[in-house]
Amino acid sequence: ATPAGGTAPYTYLWDDAANQTTATATGLNDNQLYTVVITDANGCTANATVTATLGLEDLANTMEVSAFPNPAGDQLTIVYTFNTNEDATIRLYNNLGQIVETSSLVQVLSGQLELNTAGIAAGMYRLEVATSQASVAKQIVIAH
């Protein structure tokens, strides 16, 4: 929130959904409505209501994914961490864009998945981990 007018310093009080007292609220949910009350040094107040929109930087910070070894032999380990409990889908695509392997995760915060790649042909693949908030893609090489 950036006040216009009034007398500095300003105080900020975000609603219960945001529950913060700084000019910049963080950790907000995409497409949710938030209200902030700004009070200046003279006690004058102004209210504003905004809808949070996540940017690319915000989405990138919602998950961490690593996969190893790369190149993989008969097994690929996928380690994931999300900011909140999430449903997620893990897909492995071949170079034609066809899904060759898929797994679903239900309400997980972090963990790891062991993907058996013994029956998958050697070559380049794209690993995608997707939630309702974001997705991360990694290039994977399978070499037997």
Side-chain angles (χ1 to χ4, degrees):
T2 305
T7 304
Y10 304 98
T11 61
Y12 305 86
L13 181 60
W14 291 87
D15 62 18
D16 289 342
N19 193 27
Q20 297 178 49
T21 58
T22 58
T24 303
T26 60
L28 305 179
N29 294 320
D30 191 30
N31 258 351
Q32 185 169 332
L33 205 61
Y34 295 93
T35 301
V36 61
V37 176
I38 304 170
T39 306
D40 77 357
N42 296 323
C44 297
T45 61
N47 297 357
T49 302
V50 296
T51 300
T53 303
L54 294 181
L56 293 177
E57 181 178 316
D58 299 318
L59 289 174
N61 293 330
T62 63
M63 69 170 62
E64 291 181 29
V65 176
S66 62
F68 57 88
N70 193 8
D74 292 341
Q75 188 159 316
L76 178 68
T77 301
I78 303 161
V79 178
Y80 50 86
T81 302
F82 309 125
N83 284 350
T84 60
N85 284 352
E86 296 278 353
D87 292 340
T89 303
I90 298 174
R91 292 185 182 102
L92 189 65
Y93 294 88
N94 65 17
N95 61 0
L96 298 175
Q98 300 165 323
I99 299 171
V100 295
E101 189 68 39
T102 187
S103 296
S104 295
L105 306 171
V106 178
Q107 289 298 295
V108 295
L109 183 61
S110 64
Q112 75 179 40
L113 176 73
E114 305 296 330
L115 185 63
N116 182 351
T117 56
I120 298 174
M124 295 277 294
Y125 292 84
R126 183 173 57 97
L127 175 70
E128 180 185 77
V129 179
T131 70
S132 63
Q133 298 294 314
S135 67
V136 171
K138 306 259 183 206
Q139 291 289 4
I140 303 296
V141 175
I142 296 178
H144 299 287

